[in-house]
Amino acid sequence: MSDGKVLRASEDRFRNLPNYDFKPNHVDVDGGPLGPMRMHYVDEGLRDGPVVLMLHGEPTWSYLYRHMIPPVVEAGCRALAPDFIGFGKSDKPVDRNVYSFQAHVDWMKDWILQLDLSGITLFCQDWGGLIGLRLAAEMPERFDGIMAGNTMLPTGDHPAGEAFLQWRNYSQNTPEFKIGAIVSRGTVRGLSEAEIAAYDAPYPDESHKAGARAFPVLVPITPDDPAAPANRAAWEQLRKWDKPFLTCFADKDMIMKGGEKIFQKLVPGCAGQGHFVVENAGHFLQEDAGPLLGQRLAQLAKG
């Protein structure tokens, strides 16, 4: 589907993806001048069970959570994994200017309110944390706990690392943004050809990748970034966060390794939690240790 401004990959591209046979669900979120935009999400398990929200990052989609959803469901929880606008089965505006940090937060708030979710236990990684931590800070009455791995909430007040800057430069200048191959390189185990193809499925050509190309330059790396004030305000709330906050960073993520120490120092809810380092896991730790993470996430959700 295309109206020239918003693209949607054909459902045919998602048939027979390995380990991803979840029923599709959709709601329309407010796209402003573009009108309603369809957001896709996975919604599995007991509707009245503890709510577990899993937010993907860059450049992935809900396929990333195919190994975590089953143990969460088996534990009696409701497992939700949306695709951000511009990713996965969700609508993809072509204009890069449509995408901003604030727009992503607003789209997700709209989605949460439409589903009237509460008692949420959040799992967030990469951009799932940038957006998810903002949501938890700005809608604290709807969140009961957080599990964070390989993520951060940057304000631009500290220099970005060289590895991130290299990634940022690559994402803007490579002629072909090979999403599946990028995800595979971010794992320890490596992905099969079928899994790589599954990550590529939402993107028939480069025109579908505006959202994925936009994310790296939306990360605040200077104090005057448009998102910096709201992120600082979110940190003020996180410094008061006394609900459970569990970290699970990976030992082989060269960009985010050690970031858990910041949360453990600043967030009161980290006290007394069973923080752990995920061994032999890369940036996409859900690919390297999905079942373990799903089990720990369910335990956190069930208290």
Side-chain angles (χ1 to χ4, degrees):
M1 185 207 80
S2 171
D3 62 2
K5 296 181 180 180
V6 178
L7 303 176
R8 182 183 302 165
S10 167
E11 192 63 32
D12 289 341
R13 295 183 61 84
F14 301 99
R15 301 194 190 285
N16 302 315
L17 301 186
N19 303 117
Y20 190 86
D21 55 358
F22 307 115
K23 174 182 173 290
N25 302 272
H26 308 96
V27 297
D28 288 339
V29 296
D30 183 5
L34 293 177
M37 290 192 295
R38 193 176 81 168
M39 181 177 282
H40 164 265
Y41 62 101
V42 174
D43 189 351
E44 298 283 321
L46 298 174
R47 290 299 177 272
D48 59 351
V51 176
V52 172
L53 172 58
M54 291 168 266
L55 295 183
H56 71 82
E58 157 80 0
T60 59
W61 56 289
S62 55
Y63 185 74
L64 180 68
Y65 287 106
R66 69 197 181 282
H67 296 310
M68 290 180 61
I69 291 169
V72 169
V73 170
E74 289 164 11
C77 299
R78 179 183 182 185
L80 293 136
D83 295 334
F84 293 134
I85 293 295
F87 294 82
K89 295 185 177 185
S90 292
D91 282 354
K92 303 176 180 68
V94 175
D95 183 0
R96 283 272 299 265
N97 294 318
V98 171
Y99 300 95
S100 68
F101 200 138
Q102 188 62 50
H104 276 292
V105 172
D106 291 343
W107 290 325
M108 283 305 306
K109 279 186 176 179
D110 189 351
W111 179 81
I112 287 172
L113 292 172
Q114 287 196 54
L115 270 64
D116 193 22
L117 301 177
S118 61
I120 300 168
T121 297
L122 169 69
F123 182 91
C124 56
Q125 177 261 343
D126 193 89
W127 260 96
L130 276 73
I131 296 170
L133 295 173
R134 280 278 301 274
L135 294 170
E138 295 176 17
M139 311 171 78
E141 72 282 358
R142 292 183 177 268
F143 288 80
D144 282 359
I146 298 172
M147 183 171 171
N150 298 351
T151 191
M152 192 46 63
L153 184 59
T155 61
D157 296 313
H158 304 282
E162 183 59 32
F164 173 76
L165 293 176
Q166 290 177 5
W167 154 246
R168 188 175 186 263
N169 181 66
Y170 170 82
S171 71
Q172 303 309 296
N173 294 303
T174 185
E176 186 178 358
F177 201 47
K178 296 183 178 181
I179 287 175
I182 290 167
V183 179
S184 185
R185 288 197 298 271
T187 70
V188 170
R189 71 177 179 89
L191 302 182
S192 69
E193 289 186 9
E195 289 172 322
I196 290 172
Y199 277 111
D200 288 331
Y203 313 100
D205 55 49
E206 292 297 313
S207 67
H208 285 71
K209 300 175 185 177
R213 293 266 197 178
F215 255 165
V217 295
L218 296 181
V219 176
I221 61 171
T222 59
D224 60 350
D225 186 279
N231 284 13
R232 291 189 193 104
W235 266 112
E236 289 304 309
Q237 295 304 311
L238 291 172
R239 287 187 175 94
K240 305 172 188 173
W241 183 274
D242 58 2
K243 302 173 190 177
F245 193 114
L246 176 66
T247 62
C248 56
F249 280 54
D251 66 346
K252 291 182 169 56
D253 181 351
M254 294 304 102
I255 293 180
M256 299 306 306
K257 183 179 179 181
E260 69 274 10
K261 296 173 184 175
I262 297 173
F263 289 117
Q264 291 172 20
K265 178 181 178 181
L266 298 177
V267 180
C270 285
Q273 298 298 319
H275 306 292
F276 62 105
V277 172
V278 185
E279 297 182 353
N280 296 313
H283 183 64
F284 300 105
L285 71 171
Q286 302 96 321
E287 287 291 353
D288 289 318
L292 168 66
L293 293 168
Q295 292 163 11
R296 295 296 298 268
L297 178 57
Q299 290 171 6
L300 183 67
K302 298 183 74 174

